[in-house]
Amino acid sequence: MKRRTWMQTAMLGGAGFLLKPAFAETGGLRTITYNVLQCSGWPKSVSKERLGEFASQLPQRYAMEFALYQPDIITFQEGPAESVVKEIAKLMKMNYVFFPSGEHWPGALMTRFEIVSAQNCPVLSGERPKKLFTRHWGKANLRNPETNEDYIVHSAHLHPSSKDIRYDEVTAMLESMREEIASNANFILQGDLNHEPDMPSYRRWIKAGLIDSYAKAGAGEALTFKADSPYCRIDYVWSNATLAKRLKSARALHEGAFRQHAKDPVSFALSDHVPVLAEFK
């Protein structure tokens, strides 16, 4: 076996091994949300120059970085092409669902759980309003095959610049989610919501009954954008009161390939955002 082939085999085998729930308690849940900037690396100019002919290895880099945290669920915002999502999911030994964008910023959900059903832009009635969810909003119903426990997971990327459009997006989402949030179901909303905790949209989620995982059980630096010198928190994992009772911890992953070193001009990160991890008992 050629050395390069051996290295690739070892890498993929290692990722699969790391995904075994060696220290995750039965019935627990680990979920990660990440705006991945189309899996292109950031800054793009530096990552393209540094990667060169090895740019095709980015899916493996994502898979190995995620595998360190043994996640049950991963959601992407500003996702790459579905073929790349499929490759990462295969490396992670996960199922996946792809959420097409209203424009050019799709989402995706990968999970080791069974995907019972999924829906892109699950507005209460009709189709996606033309001006809303130009990034993405998707929903998946999941089942843990080990415990037969069900989860409702919404992944979203809200409008980055228009507060009026973002307000209407939150309104449409809450109309669709309200009964799920108030129920005894395990409910999660996560993604790049493009608002900070001191903005009105944040308070609307709280008023609807959602719990910000970091606000309740967070540790370490909370800021998630940008990856070289974070200055704001716009990426979240929310849960309803039912699931929040089991919340164990939450943190932004300011480590490994998720951060760019600002003092090193040739360093790069996997994205311009920092992912968020939440763990439930």
Side-chain angles (χ1 to χ4, degrees):
M1 184 181 290
K2 293 181 180 179
R3 185 176 187 276
R4 179 179 293 182
T5 304
W6 180 87
M7 286 294 291
Q8 290 173 340
T9 303
M11 286 168 64
L12 302 188
F17 173 78
L18 285 169
L19 280 170
K20 294 178 181 178
F23 59 88
E25 59 185 299
T26 301
L29 174 73
R30 286 182 182 157
T31 184
I32 293 174
T33 184
Y34 194 17
N35 182 320
V36 296
L37 195 65
Q38 299 175 321
C39 292
S40 59
W42 186 82
K44 290 186 177 182
S45 57
V46 176
S47 62
K48 184 176 181 180
E49 179 182 348
R50 290 292 308 276
L51 286 170
E53 65 178 300
F54 303 108
S56 62
Q57 292 183 355
L58 271 174
Q60 288 93 325
R61 292 180 180 224
Y62 274 89
M64 293 193 72
E65 202 71 26
F66 287 135
L68 295 171
Y69 303 94
Q70 298 184 333
D72 300 294
I73 301 168
I74 303 169
T75 59
F76 282 176
Q77 302 85 50
E78 285 193 39
E82 184 173 0
S83 59
V84 179
V85 173
K86 183 177 181 180
E87 183 177 359
I88 296 173
K90 183 178 180 181
L91 293 169
M92 299 288 294
K93 300 182 180 179
M94 286 181 159
N95 302 309
Y96 84 92
V97 59
F98 187 77
F99 299 120
S101 171
E103 293 184 0
H104 310 292
W105 300 275
L109 180 150
M110 298 180 291
T111 179
R112 71 178 187 88
F113 296 158
E114 174 189 355
I115 300 175
V116 178
S117 63
Q119 183 180 358
N120 192 39
C121 199
V123 290
L124 201 58
S125 62
E127 298 181 349
R128 178 185 69 84
K130 187 175 182 180
K131 292 184 179 181
L132 304 186
F133 307 109
T134 52
R135 276 65 190 163
H136 92 273
W137 168 33
K139 169 187 173 182
N141 293 298
L142 311 179
R143 177 166 297 143
N144 183 342
E146 298 170 358
T147 64
N148 286 324
E149 190 168 28
D150 293 328
Y151 296 90
I152 301 170
V153 182
H154 287 256
S155 173
H157 183 189
L158 302 187
H159 202 279
S161 57
S162 171
K163 63 180 181 180
D164 293 332
I165 292 177
R166 194 161 56 239
Y167 183 93
D168 290 341
E169 289 175 335
V170 174
T171 297
M173 291 174 70
L174 288 176
E175 288 175 352
S176 175
M177 298 171 171
R178 203 170 300 278
E179 290 186 7
E180 296 172 343
I181 294 172
S183 73
N184 290 324
N186 296 310
F187 178 95
I188 294 172
L189 163 64
Q190 59 186 46
D192 174 1
L193 303 184
N194 273 313
H195 61 65
E196 296 188 63
D198 61 350
M199 294 181 176
S201 292
Y202 181 92
R203 294 190 289 274
R204 294 183 71 193
W205 301 123
I206 294 176
K207 186 176 180 180
L210 288 175
I211 290 88
D212 173 2
S213 296
Y214 184 86
K216 180 177 175 63
E221 177 57 73
L223 305 181
T224 61
F225 183 80
K226 289 183 174 180
D228 59 341
S229 183
Y231 63 88
C232 64
R233 181 162 83 99
I234 57 176
D235 303 270
Y236 301 87
V237 177
W238 297 82
S239 61
N240 66 347
T242 298
L243 186 58
K245 294 175 183 177
R246 295 163 47 190
L247 182 62
K248 183 177 180 180
S249 64
R251 64 190 181 97
L253 298 177
H254 289 270
E255 56 212 47
F258 297 134
R259 282 295 303 272
Q260 188 219 3
H261 301 286
K263 294 182 180 180
D264 182 353
V266 296
S267 70
F268 66 93
L270 292 176
S271 175
D272 56 345
H273 284 245
V274 174
V276 177
L277 165 71
E279 183 175 5
F280 298 83
K281 298 177 183 177

